[in-house]
DNA sequence: GAGGAGCTCTAAAACGTTTCAACGCAGATC
DNA sequence: GATCTGCGTTGAAACGTTTTAGAGCTCCTC
């Protein structure tokens, strides 16, 4: 039970506690010799700064929060990696919380972040309700939206153009000769699903698009969608899925029904997760700059935290990219 | 910039700060009427407790740390879910940190956890070096090992019997009539890989096992392993992979080479991740009680935190379970 | 009606750090 | 030699809670 604090370090090094604090926080203010003395004292005593005391006195912590919808989705895992890299480069710690799609869990998590007095929050909002976010901002906690364009100019956001993504997918399918098209999606209340559909329809210029809406975006749901499409007859010759998880399930469902991909039905997914390249028939997909999304979001947030004066809010929109593989060849 | 603290709440409710603190921490000590008055004051003022001040004064936080090797692996995602559920049931917050296989990153993360004065740490240790863990324990931070049996009696741990797992997999393959067997694995320095091999050899009782060791445990590595096996000729008739990610890559590689699964080669994976059931040929796999692993680990840790007097250290070992699917039918 | 028991509630002292005004000292300037 | 400047360091006052001893009440008991 070591209770070695800044005082003990100070005593051991023959200086005052204030000087130790300076070594810790503004080393340039301390002469080289005393700094060295303090640093060896720190090492010898195994001193570990008490983050709570520091936060309490300083009024702010070296911590940011990251709230994602589903940590099990490889898409978010990659975003998280980007965020963590930037944060650790700049000396911040990341508090990761997972709302698992539940709004109430999201609110509970945001409360924890507020209690911890995090410096800022990165969040992929699960719905449009801006209430909890505004409450954070009122407390002086900076907020950057991830994978969601901001609806107000005084707010940073980082997103990927889902309309272009949907359009690209459909254009690719059409150029492959497809004519009877289907869109398999999660709930159309989700902005991403909606935008991708919008893009798809734009590419179709009025031609019909069969929409199959599933309640979740999992491989299981994708397989069920396949069974539905097969049982209803009148097969499409190309399917666009809102998500690679759906697409993988769809692929499996189609193969089970003896339908060949891409010969009978061409298939395009979305996100380009690792498993997309590794599936039995590798999956054509729309790649998003996932890791980069996390990096840039974190950079915007930390800029806002460290330079509150000069920070200019930005809404950044990345472009998605088509990755062609076997499922549309 | 709201700066409403316990003082403001107290004033607004006409009581002393101490009473507000009691409402927050020991509500039963406060009369129903004042409690109600304080609670409405809290609500009206939008008071959010300052976790740092609380931790500083109380000497300990309501937070535990969870350090995993690879948050991108569905196995760890499930463990995390179990941990988070237990923690939030008991009013604890979880600090999730990802070492991404790097020992230095793991040490940095543990330092952050120590600075935050977390009450305890759940960790899937990346190697045997007990140094950093002992340092935590010296600081009074409880440690529970996850997916790793403890090597000392004064330490809790939760693991799954990997020897039985390997044995089960091979027994299943042998009972299906296989005779030329291969084991595709990650680095054999990893305890899990080693134990699974041990189990496999135990089932073989001296018959030969072809071991293909890959540097990583990803779908890509699995596919390369398939290519290697095919190019070397003398095909096995059954392959056991140390991991579903390897198995999925193996499956794809075999199909590409025109080898049918399970007709030409039977295939067994490990972990039973969601994608195992969803792949083109669904994957026979060894299921581990992943979510349960996380739950039990968290329960042990919180018991140790909340009842330091009566807590009895336990080393818990779960048994894995064979899930038969198409890849061995 | 004095004394005690049992409840509520209060006042004030911590917890370990950061911050800031002030201080001492060396060298430069007149 | 007196005054100024600038650097490096110190001391003490915060930060917002929790905690503990005990103050003030009300109700009982004798």
């Amino acid at each position: 039970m070591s209770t070695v604090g800044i005082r003990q370090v100070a005593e051991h090094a023959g200086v005052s506690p204030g000087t130790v604090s300076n070594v810790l926080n503004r080393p340039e203010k301390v002469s080289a010799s005393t700094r060295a003395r303090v640093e060896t004292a720190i090492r010898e005593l195994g001193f570990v700064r008490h983050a709570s005391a520091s936060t309490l006195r300083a009024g702010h912590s070296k911590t940011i929060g990251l709230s994602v919808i589903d940590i099990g989705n490889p898409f978010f895992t990659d975003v998280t990696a980007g965020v963590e890299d930037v944060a650790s480069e700049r000396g911040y710690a990341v508090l990761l919380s997972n709302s698992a799609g539940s709004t109430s869990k999201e609110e509970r998590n945001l409360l924890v972040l507020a209690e911890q007095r995090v410096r800022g929050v990165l969040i992929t909002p699960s719905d449009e309700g801006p209430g909890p976010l505004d409450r954070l901002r009122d407390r002086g906690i900076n907020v950057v939206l991830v994978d969601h364009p901001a609806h107000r100019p005084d707010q940073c956001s980082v997103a990927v153009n889902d309309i272009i993504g949907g359009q690209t997918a459909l254009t690719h399918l059409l150029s492959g000769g497809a004519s009877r098209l289907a869109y398999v999606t999660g709930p159309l209340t989700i902005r991403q699903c909606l935008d991708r559909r919008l893009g798809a329809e734009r590419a179709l210029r009025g031609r019909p698009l069969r929409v199959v809406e599933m309640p979740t975006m999992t491989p299981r749901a994708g397989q069920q969608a396949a069974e539905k499409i097969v049982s209803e007859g009148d097969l499409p010759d190309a399917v666009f899925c809102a998500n690679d998880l759906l697409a993988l399930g769809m692929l499996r469902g189609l193969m089970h029904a003896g339908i060949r991909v891409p010969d009978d039905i061409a298939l395009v997914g979305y996100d380009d997760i690792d498993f997309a390249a590794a599936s039995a028939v590798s999956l054509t997909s729309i790649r998003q700059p996932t890791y980069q999304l996390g990096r840039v979001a974190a950079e915007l947030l930390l800029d806002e935290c460290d330079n509150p004066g000069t920070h200019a809010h930005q809404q950044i929109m990345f472009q998605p990219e088509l990755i062609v593989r076997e499922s549309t060849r």
mmCIF file of all heavy atoms in Angstrom, chain C residues 18-29:
data_model
loop_
_atom_site.group_PDB
_atom_site.id
_atom_site.type_symbol
_atom_site.label_atom_id
_atom_site.label_comp_id
_atom_site.label_asym_id
_atom_site.label_seq_id
_atom_site.Cartn_x
_atom_site.Cartn_y
_atom_site.Cartn_z
ATOM 1 P P DT C 18 -0.178 18.279 -10.536
ATOM 2 O OP1 DT C 18 -0.408 17.814 -11.909
ATOM 3 O OP2 DT C 18 1.188 18.381 -9.989
ATOM 4 O "O5'" DT C 18 -0.900 19.676 -10.343
ATOM 5 C "C5'" DT C 18 -2.159 19.875 -10.953
ATOM 6 C "C4'" DT C 18 -2.632 21.284 -10.700
ATOM 7 O "O4'" DT C 18 -2.551 21.585 -9.292
ATOM 8 C "C3'" DT C 18 -1.835 22.382 -11.414
ATOM 9 O "O3'" DT C 18 -2.783 23.287 -11.930
ATOM 10 C "C2'" DT C 18 -0.991 22.988 -10.293
ATOM 11 C "C1'" DT C 18 -1.904 22.819 -9.091
ATOM 12 N N1 DT C 18 -1.265 22.723 -7.747
ATOM 13 C C2 DT C 18 -1.721 23.546 -6.747
ATOM 14 O O2 DT C 18 -2.587 24.374 -6.905
ATOM 15 N N3 DT C 18 -1.102 23.359 -5.521
ATOM 16 C C4 DT C 18 -0.114 22.442 -5.212
ATOM 17 O O4 DT C 18 0.340 22.359 -4.086
ATOM 18 C C5 DT C 18 0.309 21.615 -6.317
ATOM 19 C C7 DT C 18 1.383 20.589 -6.086
ATOM 20 C C6 DT C 18 -0.271 21.792 -7.516
ATOM 21 P P DT C 19 -2.351 24.298 -13.090
ATOM 22 O OP1 DT C 19 -3.464 24.323 -14.059
ATOM 23 O OP2 DT C 19 -0.975 23.993 -13.533
ATOM 24 O "O5'" DT C 19 -2.360 25.689 -12.322
ATOM 25 C "C5'" DT C 19 -3.470 25.980 -11.498
ATOM 26 C "C4'" DT C 19 -3.164 27.150 -10.613
ATOM 27 O "O4'" DT C 19 -2.472 26.712 -9.429
ATOM 28 C "C3'" DT C 19 -2.284 28.223 -11.254
ATOM 29 O "O3'" DT C 19 -2.900 29.466 -11.008
ATOM 30 C "C2'" DT C 19 -0.951 28.083 -10.519
ATOM 31 C "C1'" DT C 19 -1.425 27.613 -9.151
ATOM 32 N N1 DT C 19 -0.442 26.849 -8.343
ATOM 33 C C2 DT C 19 -0.414 27.048 -6.978
ATOM 34 O O2 DT C 19 -1.162 27.811 -6.409
ATOM 35 N N3 DT C 19 0.514 26.294 -6.310
ATOM 36 C C4 DT C 19 1.417 25.388 -6.853
ATOM 37 O O4 DT C 19 2.203 24.778 -6.153
ATOM 38 C C5 DT C 19 1.339 25.244 -8.283
ATOM 39 C C7 DT C 19 2.270 24.297 -8.972
ATOM 40 C C6 DT C 19 0.424 25.974 -8.955
ATOM 41 P P DC C 20 -2.642 30.707 -11.970
ATOM 42 O OP1 DC C 20 -3.833 30.843 -12.821
ATOM 43 O OP2 DC C 20 -1.304 30.578 -12.584
ATOM 44 O "O5'" DC C 20 -2.610 31.916 -10.945
ATOM 45 C "C5'" DC C 20 -3.025 31.728 -9.586
ATOM 46 C "C4'" DC C 20 -2.140 32.563 -8.667
ATOM 47 O "O4'" DC C 20 -1.221 31.689 -7.970
ATOM 48 C "C3'" DC C 20 -1.269 33.583 -9.409
ATOM 49 O "O3'" DC C 20 -1.174 34.736 -8.603
ATOM 50 C "C2'" DC C 20 0.064 32.867 -9.535
ATOM 51 C "C1'" DC C 20 0.096 32.154 -8.170
ATOM 52 N N1 DC C 20 1.006 30.990 -8.128
ATOM 53 C C2 DC C 20 1.407 30.479 -6.881
ATOM 54 O O2 DC C 20 0.979 30.999 -5.854
ATOM 55 N N3 DC C 20 2.242 29.420 -6.856
ATOM 56 C C4 DC C 20 2.687 28.881 -7.993
ATOM 57 N N4 DC C 20 3.494 27.829 -7.908
ATOM 58 C C5 DC C 20 2.301 29.385 -9.261
ATOM 59 C C6 DC C 20 1.468 30.433 -9.280
ATOM 60 P P DA C 21 -0.982 36.171 -9.283
ATOM 61 O OP1 DA C 21 -2.295 36.604 -9.810
ATOM 62 O OP2 DA C 21 0.201 36.142 -10.170
ATOM 63 O "O5'" DA C 21 -0.639 37.036 -8.009
ATOM 64 C "C5'" DA C 21 -1.279 36.744 -6.772
ATOM 65 C "C4'" DA C 21 -0.245 36.704 -5.653
ATOM 66 O "O4'" DA C 21 0.551 35.497 -5.777
ATOM 67 C "C3'" DA C 21 0.741 37.864 -5.680
ATOM 68 O "O3'" DA C 21 0.937 38.313 -4.349
ATOM 69 C "C2'" DA C 21 2.005 37.265 -6.272
ATOM 70 C "C1'" DA C 21 1.932 35.825 -5.745
ATOM 71 N N9 DA C 21 2.631 34.840 -6.561
ATOM 72 C C8 DA C 21 2.633 34.738 -7.930
ATOM 73 N N7 DA C 21 3.357 33.736 -8.383
ATOM 74 C C5 DA C 21 3.863 33.139 -7.244
ATOM 75 C C6 DA C 21 4.702 32.026 -7.046
ATOM 76 N N6 DA C 21 5.182 31.287 -8.040
ATOM 77 N N1 DA C 21 5.013 31.695 -5.776
ATOM 78 C C2 DA C 21 4.517 32.440 -4.777
ATOM 79 N N3 DA C 21 3.715 33.507 -4.840
ATOM 80 C C4 DA C 21 3.429 33.803 -6.114
ATOM 81 P P DA C 22 1.807 39.643 -4.037
ATOM 82 O OP1 DA C 22 1.104 40.350 -2.931
ATOM 83 O OP2 DA C 22 2.124 40.329 -5.304
ATOM 84 O "O5'" DA C 22 3.129 39.020 -3.450
ATOM 85 C "C5'" DA C 22 3.035 38.076 -2.380
ATOM 86 C "C4'" DA C 22 4.381 37.441 -2.178
ATOM 87 O "O4'" DA C 22 4.660 36.512 -3.251
ATOM 88 C "C3'" DA C 22 5.555 38.436 -2.151
ATOM 89 O "O3'" DA C 22 6.393 38.081 -1.096
ATOM 90 C "C2'" DA C 22 6.219 38.208 -3.500
ATOM 91 C "C1'" DA C 22 6.004 36.699 -3.642
ATOM 92 N N9 DA C 22 6.172 36.157 -4.988
ATOM 93 C C8 DA C 22 5.673 36.648 -6.161
ATOM 94 N N7 DA C 22 5.997 35.929 -7.219
ATOM 95 C C5 DA C 22 6.768 34.910 -6.693
ATOM 96 C C6 DA C 22 7.408 33.812 -7.296
ATOM 97 N N6 DA C 22 7.377 33.570 -8.606
ATOM 98 N N1 DA C 22 8.088 32.968 -6.482
ATOM 99 C C2 DA C 22 8.112 33.215 -5.160
ATOM 100 N N3 DA C 22 7.538 34.216 -4.485
ATOM 101 C C4 DA C 22 6.873 35.031 -5.319
ATOM 102 P P DC C 23 7.342 39.136 -0.382
ATOM 103 O OP1 DC C 23 6.808 39.406 0.965
ATOM 104 O OP2 DC C 23 7.593 40.248 -1.318
ATOM 105 O "O5'" DC C 23 8.654 38.287 -0.213
ATOM 106 C "C5'" DC C 23 8.549 36.887 0.086
ATOM 107 C "C4'" DC C 23 9.763 36.198 -0.477
ATOM 108 O "O4'" DC C 23 9.544 35.866 -1.854
ATOM 109 C "C3'" DC C 23 11.023 37.067 -0.430
ATOM 110 O "O3'" DC C 23 11.995 36.411 0.345
ATOM 111 C "C2'" DC C 23 11.433 37.218 -1.893
ATOM 112 C "C1'" DC C 23 10.776 35.994 -2.533
ATOM 113 N N1 DC C 23 10.484 36.127 -3.985
ATOM 114 C C2 DC C 23 10.974 35.157 -4.865
ATOM 115 O O2 DC C 23 11.629 34.207 -4.418
ATOM 116 N N3 DC C 23 10.711 35.271 -6.200
ATOM 117 C C4 DC C 23 9.995 36.301 -6.636
ATOM 118 N N4 DC C 23 9.753 36.366 -7.951
ATOM 119 C C5 DC C 23 9.490 37.301 -5.762
ATOM 120 C C6 DC C 23 9.754 37.183 -4.453
ATOM 121 P P DG C 24 13.258 37.272 0.917
ATOM 122 O OP1 DG C 24 13.336 37.043 2.373
ATOM 123 O OP2 DG C 24 13.204 38.641 0.350
ATOM 124 O "O5'" DG C 24 14.472 36.495 0.240
ATOM 125 C "C5'" DG C 24 14.427 35.073 0.162
ATOM 126 C "C4'" DG C 24 15.471 34.599 -0.824
ATOM 127 O "O4'" DG C 24 14.969 34.739 -2.176
ATOM 128 C "C3'" DG C 24 16.779 35.383 -0.768
ATOM 129 O "O3'" DG C 24 17.822 34.439 -0.877
ATOM 130 C "C2'" DG C 24 16.696 36.318 -1.966
ATOM 131 C "C1'" DG C 24 15.888 35.487 -2.961
ATOM 132 N N9 DG C 24 15.083 36.237 -3.927
ATOM 133 C C8 DG C 24 14.329 37.357 -3.680
ATOM 134 N N7 DG C 24 13.688 37.782 -4.743
ATOM 135 C C5 DG C 24 14.052 36.887 -5.754
ATOM 136 C C6 DG C 24 13.671 36.852 -7.121
ATOM 137 O O6 DG C 24 12.929 37.606 -7.728
ATOM 138 N N1 DG C 24 14.275 35.782 -7.776
ATOM 139 C C2 DG C 24 15.118 34.877 -7.197
ATOM 140 N N2 DG C 24 15.587 33.916 -7.992
ATOM 141 N N3 DG C 24 15.483 34.901 -5.918
ATOM 142 C C4 DG C 24 14.907 35.929 -5.264
ATOM 143 P P DC C 25 19.342 34.804 -0.556
ATOM 144 O OP1 DC C 25 19.912 33.699 0.246
ATOM 145 O OP2 DC C 25 19.390 36.201 -0.077
ATOM 146 O "O5'" DC C 25 20.012 34.752 -2.007
ATOM 147 C "C5'" DC C 25 19.674 33.689 -2.885
ATOM 148 C "C4'" DC C 25 20.067 34.055 -4.294
ATOM 149 O "O4'" DC C 25 19.013 34.814 -4.924
ATOM 150 C "C3'" DC C 25 21.341 34.921 -4.381
ATOM 151 O "O3'" DC C 25 22.246 34.292 -5.253
ATOM 152 C "C2'" DC C 25 20.835 36.260 -4.928
ATOM 153 C "C1'" DC C 25 19.608 35.817 -5.728
ATOM 154 N N1 DC C 25 18.600 36.877 -5.937
ATOM 155 C C2 DC C 25 17.996 36.992 -7.192
ATOM 156 O O2 DC C 25 18.312 36.206 -8.087
ATOM 157 N N3 DC C 25 17.071 37.969 -7.389
ATOM 158 C C4 DC C 25 16.748 38.799 -6.391
ATOM 159 N N4 DC C 25 15.828 39.732 -6.618
ATOM 160 C C5 DC C 25 17.358 38.695 -5.097
ATOM 161 C C6 DC C 25 18.279 37.744 -4.918
ATOM 162 P P DA C 26 23.818 34.633 -5.154
ATOM 163 O OP1 DA C 26 24.539 33.428 -4.692
ATOM 164 O OP2 DA C 26 23.997 35.918 -4.438
ATOM 165 O "O5'" DA C 26 24.162 34.849 -6.691
ATOM 166 C "C5'" DA C 26 23.713 33.880 -7.623
ATOM 167 C "C4'" DA C 26 23.615 34.537 -8.983
ATOM 168 O "O4'" DA C 26 22.457 35.406 -9.000
ATOM 169 C "C3'" DA C 26 24.833 35.396 -9.334
ATOM 170 O "O3'" DA C 26 25.329 35.006 -10.605
ATOM 171 C "C2'" DA C 26 24.311 36.818 -9.355
ATOM 172 C "C1'" DA C 26 22.808 36.645 -9.578
ATOM 173 N N9 DA C 26 21.994 37.663 -8.899
ATOM 174 C C8 DA C 26 22.105 38.073 -7.616
ATOM 175 N N7 DA C 26 21.231 38.995 -7.284
ATOM 176 C C5 DA C 26 20.499 39.193 -8.436
ATOM 177 C C6 DA C 26 19.421 40.050 -8.746
ATOM 178 N N6 DA C 26 18.871 40.886 -7.853
ATOM 179 N N1 DA C 26 18.921 40.004 -9.989
ATOM 180 C C2 DA C 26 19.478 39.157 -10.875
ATOM 181 N N3 DA C 26 20.485 38.307 -10.707
ATOM 182 C C4 DA C 26 20.956 38.385 -9.446
ATOM 183 P P DG C 27 26.718 35.615 -11.146
ATOM 184 O OP1 DG C 27 27.412 34.539 -11.868
ATOM 185 O OP2 DG C 27 27.400 36.323 -10.041
ATOM 186 O "O5'" DG C 27 26.233 36.681 -12.212
ATOM 187 C "C5'" DG C 27 25.370 36.269 -13.260
ATOM 188 C "C4'" DG C 27 24.748 37.503 -13.876
ATOM 189 O "O4'" DG C 27 23.923 38.170 -12.890
ATOM 190 C "C3'" DG C 27 25.759 38.539 -14.375
ATOM 191 O "O3'" DG C 27 25.446 38.868 -15.707
ATOM 192 C "C2'" DG C 27 25.576 39.725 -13.435
ATOM 193 C "C1'" DG C 27 24.121 39.571 -13.013
ATOM 194 N N9 DG C 27 23.772 40.176 -11.739
ATOM 195 C C8 DG C 27 24.408 40.003 -10.524
ATOM 196 N N7 DG C 27 23.845 40.675 -9.558
ATOM 197 C C5 DG C 27 22.785 41.329 -10.164
ATOM 198 C C6 DG C 27 21.823 42.214 -9.618
ATOM 199 O O6 DG C 27 21.710 42.592 -8.446
ATOM 200 N N1 DG C 27 20.925 42.659 -10.576
ATOM 201 C C2 DG C 27 20.953 42.290 -11.901
ATOM 202 N N2 DG C 27 20.016 42.820 -12.676
ATOM 203 N N3 DG C 27 21.844 41.471 -12.430
ATOM 204 C C4 DG C 27 22.727 41.035 -11.507
ATOM 205 P P DA C 28 26.347 39.843 -16.586
ATOM 206 O OP1 DA C 28 26.530 39.249 -17.923
ATOM 207 O OP2 DA C 28 27.537 40.232 -15.782
ATOM 208 O "O5'" DA C 28 25.400 41.110 -16.738
ATOM 209 C "C5'" DA C 28 24.090 40.908 -17.250
ATOM 210 C "C4'" DA C 28 23.355 42.234 -17.255
ATOM 211 O "O4'" DA C 28 23.021 42.608 -15.889
ATOM 212 C "C3'" DA C 28 24.151 43.400 -17.847
ATOM 213 O "O3'" DA C 28 23.269 44.160 -18.667
ATOM 214 C "C2'" DA C 28 24.600 44.185 -16.624
ATOM 215 C "C1'" DA C 28 23.466 43.929 -15.643
ATOM 216 N N9 DA C 28 23.840 43.967 -14.227
ATOM 217 C C8 DA C 28 24.877 43.320 -13.628
ATOM 218 N N7 DA C 28 24.958 43.524 -12.330
ATOM 219 C C5 DA C 28 23.887 44.373 -12.069
ATOM 220 C C6 DA C 28 23.412 44.974 -10.874
ATOM 221 N N6 DA C 28 23.981 44.767 -9.685
ATOM 222 N N1 DA C 28 22.324 45.759 -10.967
ATOM 223 C C2 DA C 28 21.750 45.940 -12.172
ATOM 224 N N3 DA C 28 22.099 45.428 -13.350
ATOM 225 C C4 DA C 28 23.182 44.650 -13.222
ATOM 226 P P DT C 29 23.853 45.390 -19.550
ATOM 227 O OP1 DT C 29 23.104 45.361 -20.833
ATOM 228 O OP2 DT C 29 25.325 45.342 -19.544
ATOM 229 O "O5'" DT C 29 23.383 46.658 -18.725
ATOM 230 C "C5'" DT C 29 21.993 46.786 -18.392
ATOM 231 C "C4'" DT C 29 21.815 48.035 -17.549
ATOM 232 O "O4'" DT C 29 22.244 47.796 -16.193
ATOM 233 C "C3'" DT C 29 22.622 49.235 -18.054
ATOM 234 O "O3'" DT C 29 21.744 50.336 -18.255
ATOM 235 C "C2'" DT C 29 23.629 49.501 -16.940
ATOM 236 C "C1'" DT C 29 22.921 48.939 -15.725
ATOM 237 N N1 DT C 29 23.788 48.488 -14.602
ATOM 238 C C2 DT C 29 23.483 48.891 -13.325
ATOM 239 O O2 DT C 29 22.551 49.594 -13.065
ATOM 240 N N3 DT C 29 24.335 48.413 -12.360
ATOM 241 C C4 DT C 29 25.455 47.589 -12.548
ATOM 242 O O4 DT C 29 26.146 47.226 -11.605
ATOM 243 C C5 DT C 29 25.715 47.218 -13.919
ATOM 244 C C7 DT C 29 26.892 46.350 -14.242
ATOM 245 C C6 DT C 29 24.879 47.684 -14.876
#
